Amino acid sequence: MRNAYRPLTRRGLLTGTLGSAALLAAGGTLVGCGTPGAQQTEAGCVSEDLSGTEKTLAFSNWPQYMDVDEDDASKRPSLDAFVGNSGIQVTYTEDVNDNNEFFGKVQNQLAACHGTGRDVMVLTDWMAARMIRLGWIQRLDKSKLPHVEANLLPSLRNRPFDVDNHLAVPWQSGLAGLAYNGRVTKEIRTVDELLTRPDLKGKVTALTEMRDTMGLLLMSNGHNPADFTANQFDDALNKLKKAVDSGQIRRFTGNDYAPDLAKGDIAACIGWSGDIIQLGFDDDQITFVVPDSGVTLWSDNMLVPNKATHKGNAEALMNHYYDPAIAAQLAAYVNYICPVQGAQEEMEKIDPELAANPLIFPDEAILSKARVFMALDEQQEREYETKFQQVIGA
């Protein structure tokens, strides 16, 4: 199924629900970065797996992030196939609307080593990293994940927050890069063009998601967002501040930049690949650009929280979605980067045009320029977010 542009996409919900007010509270401290006594250990918070006798699974995900039957919205073909093949009954809930908001729902239970009522939850890299840092996520058994071991994209292995690939399994991924409307401006290729070109003054937006905007600026300065220093961050932030102070950047947005880009109210922006794919279905003048310096790669990850009692069933679900045929079925609906090798060939049977789309199946030229933002400790997260919010005026 090819989707029309959605006014609020899944990625946009990362910042569109709570905004910066949720990030900064209590005198500038990031909400939920950690609370006294919250840290858990594998030995200190032991979880029992009842999968052998209980064929059930509670799965929490974002809205519009699962394939739905075109003729019957109550049917989810890829998930229904899992239920039919495994006999595991899945309670599927679209209750992840914002990473910080969801953290608030579960932090008291996880901090106390109590169950959340969920066996699988899907969270973005930086929130997954926070929960892993707090010791709130169960270790996965790789022997039960043969499809994941065989088919996970190399670019998504050994990420900074999960170097041994035993805690988080990517659900879908996406890129942050540049985008422009060819009806109102000429091509852009670099972040420096976006931030300084006179004809774009006041016609540019950037993202309120710190990791994506700052990741691109770090790369534009020749630095690696997966491994940078505080001074390098400050240099990139100063570059951003100059563009704000000069009036080059009109504002910072969640994904509400997308309608403005489509109408030509803005000419160019820092944006997300999933949004631009959807806009491009209606207007081929809307173009996503991989800057010469590189793009940021993010993922939403399947995680098994502490005290979840069906880890084995969760591993079976993860393995199911790394079957290339199932992965292609899902990707054809959601239009984000598919993290599964072999799915592109399966997609050719479903929709050859989508199979050829490098924003769903990136080629090596794109992946070689993609970087994952480094995992931050609590102090770094607080410091960098506070500095960034001050510059963007949130």
Side-chain angles (χ1 to χ4, degrees):
M1 173 182 174
R2 177 167 298 172
N3 294 327
Y5 171 68
R6 305 179 190 115
L8 189 62
T9 67
R10 213 252 9 107
R11 180 65 177 174
L13 285 163
L14 297 183
T15 52
T17 303
L18 296 185
S20 58
L23 293 172
L24 294 171
T29 300
L30 278 163
V31 173
C33 275
T35 54
Q39 188 77 37
Q40 298 292 340
T41 65
E42 191 172 6
C45 186
V46 178
S47 304
E48 182 181 9
D49 189 1
L50 303 177
S51 298
T53 56
E54 296 182 1
K55 295 299 183 183
T56 61
L57 182 72
F59 184 2
S60 285
N61 205 349
W62 299 78
Q64 300 181 340
Y65 223 16
M66 178 68 73
D67 53 306
V68 174
D69 188 281
E70 291 185 31
D71 300 318
D72 185 347
S74 68
K75 294 181 179 179
R76 303 180 177 98
S78 67
L79 190 60
D80 293 343
F82 172 73
V83 173
N85 293 336
S86 68
I88 296 169
Q89 298 302 309
V90 179
T91 301
Y92 184 76
T93 309
E94 295 180 333
D95 63 345
V96 186
N97 289 303
D98 176 280
N99 283 287
N100 279 302
E101 180 186 54
F102 188 80
F103 186 93
K105 290 180 183 179
V106 300
Q107 71 177 114
N108 289 340
Q109 298 100 306
L110 292 173
C113 186
H114 293 160
T116 65
R118 300 166 176 88
D119 298 303
V120 180
M121 53 191 187
V122 177
L123 297 171
T124 308
D125 290 330
W126 61 270
M127 183 55 76
R130 182 192 294 179
M131 289 198 174
I132 288 169
R133 187 174 72 227
L134 289 166
W136 292 357
I137 303 302
Q138 293 190 49
R139 182 184 297 264
L140 301 172
D141 182 349
K142 291 186 180 182
S143 71
K144 295 182 179 179
L145 300 168
H147 288 330
V148 178
E149 286 292 284
N151 298 329
L152 176 62
L153 286 177
S155 57
L156 293 172
R157 296 176 187 264
N158 305 312
R159 293 174 294 170
F161 59 89
D162 186 21
V163 293
D164 296 321
N165 307 305
H166 62 250
L167 293 163
V169 174
W171 173 252
Q172 299 288 288
S173 299
L175 302 172
L178 308 180
Y180 69 93
N181 185 331
R183 299 187 189 283
V184 296
T185 190
K186 62 184 181 181
E187 181 185 31
I188 57 171
R189 293 299 317 168
T190 69
V191 173
D192 287 350
E193 277 187 83
L194 185 78
L195 298 184
T196 62
R197 218 170 73 188
D199 63 297
L200 295 176
K201 186 171 182 177
K203 302 175 183 177
V204 170
T205 61
L207 294 170
T208 54
E209 173 59 53
M210 182 269 288
R211 288 158 178 82
D212 289 331
T213 293
M214 290 305 298
L216 290 175
L217 267 83
L218 281 160
M219 284 186 280
S220 75
N221 281 348
H223 301 309
N224 184 359
D227 184 16
F228 61 87
T229 67
N231 285 339
Q232 290 169 347
F233 182 91
D234 288 345
D235 286 345
L237 192 63
N238 286 334
K239 186 175 187 175
L240 183 67
K241 187 175 187 300
K242 288 178 182 178
V244 172
D245 293 345
S246 71
Q248 183 79 3
I249 296 177
R250 180 186 299 180
R251 65 189 181 103
F252 291 81
T253 72
N255 85 318
D256 47 329
Y257 69 86
D260 290 340
L261 183 65
K263 290 183 292 187
D265 289 347
I266 61 170
C269 63
I270 294 174
W272 289 305
S273 57
D275 288 338
I276 307 308
I277 288 176
Q278 292 164 23
L279 291 177
F281 290 154
D282 296 326
D283 185 351
D284 62 7
Q285 293 297 305
I286 307 294
T287 303
F288 185 83
V289 176
V290 175
D292 297 339
S293 52
V295 287
T296 59
L297 174 66
W298 53 265
S299 297
D300 293 322
N301 303 275
M302 292 180 279
L303 307 164
V304 179
N306 285 352
K307 290 297 181 178
T309 54
H310 304 105
K311 182 170 79 78
N313 294 343
E315 290 162 339
L317 177 87
M318 294 173 183
N319 200 56
H320 170 76
Y321 276 101
Y322 272 71
D323 177 322
I326 298 297
Q329 186 177 19
L330 176 64
Y333 183 86
V334 301
N335 298 153
Y336 283 91
I337 290 176
C338 180
V340 180
Q341 292 185 104
Q344 187 170 18
E345 291 78 7
E346 294 294 331
M347 181 70 86
E348 289 173 356
K349 305 172 187 176
I350 301 171
D351 188 329
E353 190 175 342
L354 286 181
N357 191 321
L359 299 185
I360 297 176
F361 297 101
D363 55 24
E364 186 54 37
I366 291 178
L367 291 176
S368 66
K369 294 184 176 182
R371 298 290 181 271
V372 176
F373 201 91
M374 78 176 187
L376 303 178
D377 62 31
E378 184 175 339
Q379 181 178 347
Q380 289 172 321
E381 191 170 4
R382 183 182 299 113
E383 177 185 348
Y384 292 152
E385 278 283 9
T386 300
K387 287 181 176 180
F388 179 69
Q389 297 296 327
Q390 289 170 346
V391 167
I392 72 175

